[in-house]
C-alpha cells in the first residue's frame, strides 16, 4: 500500500523522509524514492525493491535539502522499476509529484499532453499530474493555482503532494476521494505531510486530517487548508496519543471503521501491478497459471469460511460468467468430509484473510491429496495457505486488525474478477473487445467505492432508526445474494442482533412468515439484471407490514417510493456491484454496534484467525 512522507523546515529532509517511509513499510510496496529541493534544483533518488536499496543508493550518492518528499509504491500502471518509481519529475525539472490512487482518465490526458509535445519518461498514470501542473505554470500560474487546476482535471480518488524548485517555501497536497489518508503534522518552525500517522509520530503529535475535496498549502511556519475551489477552511487540530495502538487508529474511533475506509486504497493496491489498462490484460504471475493448465481445468472448488466463503460465492458468479468454468463453493469445514469429486483437472481455490484458518488449510490438503491444483487468495504474506499453494494471489490490503473482516472481503472480489478474466483469456473463451471492456471497468473501482463511502452520514441516520431492533432479514439475488449473507453476518458479529441472509427468490418458501411490523427487511436492489425481481420482493415485504431498508442505485425513483429507508450506492457494472452494495451494510452494522455501545473491534466469542476446527 503506497506510503507518502513530506517535510519542510530547517532540517535536512532526506533522513526524516526515509525514516518516515520505514515506519510505513508494513503497507507493502515494490519500489521507493525520495526527492529534495536543494539550491534551486530538485534531486531525486529512487529504485525498485525495498527501502534498503534506496538507503544504499542515497548513501552512495547523497542528497540533502528541504523541502523533501518520499514515496513507497505498489505498481498500478507500469511494472515495478526505477523509471516507474515515485517521485516523478516534470519536463522542466522544476516540479515533482508523489501520488496515491489511479488517474482514471490518464489515457485521455496523456494523449492531449503528447500532442502538445510532452515526452513521458515512465509508464505511470501519475506522470500526467506533474506534466499538467507544468502546463498550467507555463501560462503564468504559480504552483498552488496550477495544482488546483490540475486537481480539477484528474478523475478518480487521489492523495497527492507537489514540490517546486521555483517555490521552495511551500508544499502543496490534496486529498480527492478516498485513495488513502493525507495527514498534516504541525511542528515548531517545521511541518510534515504523511499518508498515515506512524510516519511522523516521532516528530509531532498535533495533526490535521485532510477530508476528501480538500487541499493544503504547507510552509515551515503555517498550514492553510482550502477546498479545491480555494475557500479557506478552519480544520480541527487533533492531539494524537503516543500510544502506538491509538496512533494507528488515527482519526477513526475503531480499527473496523478505519479498515472500512481503507477499502478504496486496499482495492487500488490489490489491482497494483496486475492490470495493464493500455492492452486490456491481467497479470497474476504468482498464480502460475499457464495456457495449458487453463485449458485443462474442468471444475473449480472455492473453499473458505465465514466472510471469505461469501466472497467465494460472488467469485463463482464471476468465474462462471466470464471464464465459463463450472464452480462449486464449499465451506472449508465441510469440504474434506464430503469426499469431493476431485482430480488432476480440478482446481481447489482457498480464500483466507489470515492464511492460517484450520478448516481452510485442511480443505487445501484434501484437494492436494486427490490430485487437484491448489490455489489461494490470501492477505497475510508468508502464511501457511500461501506457502503450501501451487499458486496464489496476495490481497495486498495491509494488516486487518478488526475481527469483523471488511477490506479482506472486498479485495478477493476484485482478485476473483481478475482471475476470471485471465482464465478466460488463456482458455480463448473471451474476445478482445469484451476483455478490454472488463479490464477497463476496473479503473472505476476506487472511485465507486469512495462514492459509496461518502454517504456514511446517511447510513448512520438509518442506524439510529434501527438501533433497537432484535431481528433482521437480508434479501438479495444473483451476484448480490452473497452480499445479503455478508450483511447479515456483519450485523450478527458486532451488534449481537439476530440476522438472517436469504436468497430473495426463496422468501415465499418460508421466511415470508417472519415478516410483520417488527421485522426489518434489508433488500439489496441495485440496477442489475435482477432489479425487477427485487422490486417484487420489496412489494411483498411492504404488503406484510415489514420495514424495508433498500440498498439502491442513486436516482432509482421506484425504490425511493416504496422503501422506508434507502442506502444509496453509485451505478456500477453489475459484475462489480457487490463492491458498492456491501459498503453501506458494513457501515450500518458498525454504526448500530457503536450506538449500542459495543466493542466492534473485539466482539465477544470471536477471534481474528480461527486456527482450530
Amino acid at each position: 500500500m503506497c506510503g507518502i512522507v513530506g517535510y519542510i523546515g530547517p532540517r535536512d529532509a532526506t533522513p526524516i523522509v526515509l525514516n518516515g517511509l520505514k515506519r510505513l513499510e508494513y503497507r507493502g510496496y515494490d519500489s521507493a524514492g525520495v526527492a529534495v529541493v536543494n539550491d534551486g534544483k530538485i534531486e531525486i533518488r529512487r529504485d525498485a525493491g525495498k527501502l534498503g536499496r534506496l538507503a544504499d543508493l542515497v548513501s552512495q550518492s547523497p542528497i540533502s535539502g528541504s523541502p523533501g518528499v518520499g514515496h513507497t509504491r505498489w505498481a498500478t500502471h507500469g511494472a515495478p522499476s526505477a523509471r516507474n518509481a515515485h517521485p516523478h519529475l516534470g519536463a522542466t525539472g522544476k516540479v515533482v509529484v508523489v501520488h496515491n490512487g489511479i488517474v482514471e482518465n490518464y489515457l485521455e490526458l496523456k494523449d492531449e499532453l503528447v500532442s502538445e509535445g510532452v515526452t513521458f519518461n515512465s509508464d505511470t498514470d501519475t506522470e500526467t499530474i506533474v506534466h499538467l501542473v507544468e502546463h498550467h505554470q507555463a501560462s503564468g500560474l504559480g504552483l498552488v493555482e496550477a495544482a488546483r487546476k490540475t486537481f480539477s482535471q484528474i478523475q478518480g480518488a487521489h492523495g497527492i503532494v507537489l514540490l517546486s524548485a521555483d517555490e521552495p517555501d511551500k508544499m502543496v497536497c490534496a486529498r480527492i476521494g478516498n485513495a488513502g489518508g493525507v495527514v498534516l503534522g504541525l511542528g515548531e518552525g517545521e511541518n510534515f505531510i504523511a499518508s498515515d500517522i506512524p510516519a511522523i509520530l516521532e516528530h509531532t503529535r498535533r495533526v490535521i486530517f485532510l477530508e476528501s475535496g480538500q487541499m493544503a498549502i504547507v510552509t515551515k511556519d503555517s498550514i492553510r487548508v482550502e477546498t479545491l475551489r480555494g475557500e479557506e477552511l478552519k480544520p480541527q487540530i487533533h492531539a494524537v496519543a503516543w500510544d502506538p495502538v491509538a496512533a494507528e487508529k488515527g482519526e477513526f474511533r475503531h480499527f473496523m471503521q478505519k479498515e472500512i475506509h481503507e477499502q478504496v486504497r486496499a482495492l487500488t493496491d490489490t489491482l497494483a501491478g496486475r492490470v495493464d489498462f493500455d492492452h486490456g490484460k491481467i497479470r497474476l504471475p504468482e498464480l502460475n497459471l499457464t495456457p495449458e493448465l487453463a485449458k485443462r481445468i474442468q471444475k473449480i472448488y472455492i473453499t473458505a469460511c465465514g466472510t471469505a466463503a461469501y466472497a467465494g460465492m460472488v467469485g463463482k458468479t464471476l468465474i462462471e460468467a466470464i471464464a465459463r468454468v463450472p464452480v462449486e463453493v464449499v465451506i472449508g469445514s465441510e469440504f474434506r468430509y464430503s469426499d469431493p469429486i476431485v482430480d488432476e483437472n480440478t482446481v481447489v481455490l482457498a480464500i483466507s484473510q489470515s492464511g492460517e484458518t484450520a478448516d481452510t488449510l485442511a480443505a487445501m490438503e484434501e484437494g492436494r491429496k486427490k490430485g487437484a491444483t491448489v490455489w489461494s487468495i490470501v492477505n497475510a504474506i508468508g502464511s501457511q495457505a500461501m506457502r503450501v499453494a501451487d499458486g496464489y494471489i496476495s490481497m495486498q490490503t495491509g494488516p486487518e486488525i478488526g475481527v469483523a473482516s471488511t477490506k479482506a472481503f472486498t479485495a478477493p472480489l476484485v482478485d476473483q474478477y481478475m482471475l476470471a478474466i485471465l482464465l478466460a483469456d488463456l482458455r480463448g473463451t473471451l474476445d478482445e473487445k469484451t476483455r478490454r471492456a472488463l479490464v477497463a471497468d476496473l479503473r472505476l473501482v476506487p472511485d465507486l467505492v469512495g462514492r459509496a463511502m461518502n454517504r456514511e452520514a446517511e447510513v448512520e441516520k438509518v442506524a439510529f432508526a434501527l438501533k433497537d431492533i432484535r431481528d433482521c432479514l437480508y434479501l438479495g439475488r444473483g451476484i448480490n445474494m452473497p452480499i445479503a449473507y455478508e450483511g447479515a453476518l456483519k450485523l450478527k458479529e458486532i451488534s449481537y442482533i439476530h440476522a438472517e441472509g436469504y436468497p430473495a427468490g426463496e422468501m415465499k418458501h418460508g421466511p415470508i412468515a417472519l415478516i410483520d411490523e417488527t421485522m426489518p427487511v434489508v433488500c439489496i436492489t441495485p440496477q442489475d439484471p435482477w432489479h425487477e425481481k427485487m422490486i417484487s420482493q420489496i412489494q411483498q415485504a411492504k404488503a406484510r407490514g415489514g420495514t424495508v431498508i433498500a440498498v439502491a442505485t442513486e436516482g432509482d425513483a421506484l425504490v425511493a417510493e416504496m422503501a422506508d429507508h434507502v442506502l444509496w450506492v453509485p451505478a456500477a457494472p453489475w459484475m462489480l456491484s457487490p463492491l458498492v452494495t456491501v459498503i453501506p451494510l458494513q457501515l450500518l452494522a458498525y454504526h448500530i454496534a457503536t450506538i449500542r455501545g459495543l466493542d466492534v473491534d473485539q466482539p465477544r466469542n470471536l477471534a481474528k484467525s480461527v486456527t482450530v476446527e
Side-chain angles (χ1 to χ4, degrees):
M1 299 168 73
C2 300
I4 288 175
V5 182
Y7 171 79
I8 187 166
R11 294 189 282 167
D12 179 12
T14 304
I16 295 170
V17 168
L18 289 176
N19 288 336
L21 292 176
K22 186 75 176 173
R23 295 179 184 275
L24 299 178
E25 269 198 305
Y26 68 88
R27 297 178 176 278
Y29 58 97
D30 51 41
S31 61
V34 60
V36 296
V37 178
N38 184 18
D39 196 23
K41 296 185 297 184
I42 293 176
E43 296 193 67
I44 294 179
R45 301 291 183 268
R46 58 185 186 174
D47 204 352
K50 296 301 181 184
L51 275 169
R53 292 183 63 172
L54 177 61
D56 289 344
L57 186 61
V58 171
S59 178
Q60 294 160 15
S61 180
I63 58 172
S64 63
S66 177
V69 67
H71 188 272
T72 53
R73 172 185 187 250
W74 268 122
T76 54
H77 293 72
S81 64
R83 72 188 295 268
N84 290 329
H86 297 213
H88 287 288
L89 196 63
T92 67
K94 295 290 189 177
V95 182
V96 72
V97 67
V98 294
H99 167 231
N100 290 344
I102 295 176
V103 181
E104 294 177 2
N105 59 332
Y106 90 101
L107 286 176
E108 303 95 289
L109 294 173
K110 182 176 180 179
D111 287 345
E112 291 175 15
L113 289 163
V114 169
S115 70
E116 294 174 6
V118 174
T119 300
F120 278 71
N121 297 306
S122 76
D123 305 313
T124 70
D125 57 322
T126 298
E127 197 181 345
T128 59
I129 297 172
V130 71
H131 289 311
L132 282 171
V133 171
E134 289 192 334
H135 171 79
H136 296 311
Q137 285 181 317
S139 68
L141 296 179
L143 178 63
V144 174
E145 293 308 316
R148 193 190 313 281
K149 199 159 186 179
T150 298
F151 299 154
S152 72
Q153 291 178 273
I154 56 176
Q155 296 174 8
H158 312 280
I160 301 168
V161 181
L162 289 155
L163 305 182
S164 171
D166 289 337
E167 299 180 53
D169 61 329
K170 64 176 68 75
M171 300 187 289
V172 177
C173 61
R175 178 176 180 175
I176 305 168
N178 296 287
V182 177
V183 184
L184 309 176
L186 288 79
E188 296 294 331
E190 59 184 4
N191 286 310
F192 307 83
I193 300 173
S195 54
D196 209 350
I197 290 173
I200 57 175
L201 193 57
E202 65 178 301
H203 304 292
T204 181
R205 60 185 297 182
R206 297 172 65 236
V207 301
I208 296 168
F209 299 102
L210 281 194
E211 302 294 339
S212 176
Q214 294 180 355
M215 61 184 287
I217 300 94
V218 181
T219 73
K220 67 182 181 65
D221 297 312
S222 67
I223 293 178
R224 176 185 170 95
V225 178
E226 301 179 346
T227 67
L228 296 182
R229 294 183 301 276
E231 296 121 354
E232 186 174 5
L233 301 169
K234 298 298 181 185
Q236 182 180 354
I237 298 175
H238 300 261
V240 179
W242 290 110
D243 169 38
V245 174
E248 280 293 313
K249 289 179 186 174
E251 63 195 291
F252 301 102
R253 289 179 60 192
H254 301 94
F255 280 112
M256 182 181 178
Q257 186 187 26
K258 181 182 182 185
E259 287 156 5
I260 289 172
H261 282 267
E262 283 181 337
Q263 285 175 108
V264 175
R265 183 171 62 194
L267 292 169
T268 303
D269 290 339
T270 207
L271 294 170
R274 294 166 171 169
V275 186
D276 181 347
F277 288 111
D278 291 340
H279 300 97
K281 288 277 193 175
I282 297 294
R283 296 188 292 255
L284 298 171
E286 292 87 6
L287 199 61
N288 299 319
L289 177 58
T290 63
E292 294 73 26
L293 174 57
K295 290 170 183 172
R296 182 161 54 84
I297 296 170
Q298 295 180 4
K299 184 172 184 176
I300 297 174
Y301 281 99
I302 297 177
T303 186
C305 302
T307 284
Y310 299 147
M313 291 179 185
V314 175
K316 168 184 166 68
T317 299
L318 294 171
I319 294 169
E320 290 186 341
I322 297 171
R324 308 304 295 163
V325 176
V327 179
E328 187 173 342
V329 181
V330 184
I331 299 297
S333 56
E334 296 294 326
F335 186 80
R336 65 171 164 160
Y337 299 110
S338 65
D339 192 18
I341 301 171
V342 173
D343 59 23
E344 66 278 4
N345 298 318
T346 306
V347 167
V348 173
L349 170 61
I351 305 175
S352 173
Q353 190 285 134
S354 69
E356 301 292 345
T357 306
D359 289 319
T360 303
L361 292 172
M364 294 173 72
E365 180 59 27
E366 181 71 12
R368 184 179 302 287
K369 277 197 264 183
K370 290 179 175 284
T373 297
V374 179
W375 292 337
S376 62
I377 298 177
V378 188
N379 193 35
I381 304 296
S383 60
Q384 181 81 348
M386 183 176 284
R387 295 196 309 270
V388 303
D390 298 307
Y392 66 87
I393 303 173
S394 170
M395 294 183 197
Q396 299 181 172
T397 69
E400 189 176 65
I401 308 301
V403 168
S405 186
T406 52
K407 60 183 181 177
F409 173 77
T410 50
L413 304 188
V414 172
D415 295 335
Q416 291 173 100
Y417 181 92
M418 291 190 291
L419 170 59
I421 295 171
L422 178 61
L423 194 56
D425 194 21
L426 295 177
R427 287 169 67 89
T429 57
L430 198 61
D431 64 84
E432 182 180 2
K433 181 180 179 182
T434 304
R435 188 195 73 236
R436 283 181 171 273
L438 291 170
V439 170
D441 283 343
L442 285 168
R443 197 180 297 154
L444 306 174
V445 165
D447 184 56
L448 290 172
V449 175
R451 286 165 57 194
M453 210 82 69
N454 287 340
R455 290 184 173 271
E456 181 171 11
E458 298 169 21
V459 178
E460 189 173 8
K461 289 179 182 177
V462 178
F464 271 101
L466 301 179
K467 64 183 175 62
D468 296 320
I469 63 173
R470 299 186 60 184
D471 306 278
C472 194
L473 185 62
Y474 286 70
L475 302 176
R477 291 195 77 145
I479 199 167
N480 278 292
M481 183 182 74
I483 304 306
Y485 299 154
E486 174 61 10
L489 177 62
K490 284 292 155 286
L491 193 66
K492 281 184 274 199
E493 284 181 308
I494 61 172
S495 296
Y496 313 147
I497 293 169
H498 170 248
E500 191 172 349
Y502 222 79
E506 291 290 292
M507 192 168 71
K508 288 182 179 176
H509 296 272
I512 199 168
L514 296 171
I515 296 178
D516 59 20
E517 63 279 358
T518 67
M519 174 65 80
V521 183
V522 178
C523 296
I524 303 166
T525 320
Q527 289 178 333
D528 62 11
W530 300 272
H531 181 258
E532 289 185 9
K533 300 296 183 183
M534 285 305 303
I535 292 293
S536 174
Q537 305 304 325
I538 293 175
Q539 292 170 330
Q540 291 177 45
K542 289 299 294 178
R544 286 153 183 84
T547 298
V548 172
I549 303 95
V551 178
T553 303
E554 292 167 352
D556 192 329
L558 188 57
V559 171
E561 287 176 10
M562 294 188 295
D564 297 280
H565 306 281
V566 183
L567 306 176
W568 296 110
V569 296
W574 73 265
M575 289 189 193
L576 296 172
S577 64
L579 292 166
V580 296
T581 56
V582 76
I583 298 298
L585 302 185
Q586 293 173 345
L587 290 169
L588 183 66
Y590 169 78
H591 283 293
I592 289 176
T594 56
I595 292 165
R596 290 163 71 105
L598 300 172
D599 185 346
V600 296
D601 284 336
Q602 295 180 313
R604 68 190 183 199
N605 306 333
L606 297 177
K608 185 62 181 170
S609 179
V610 182
T611 56
V612 295
E613 284 196 59

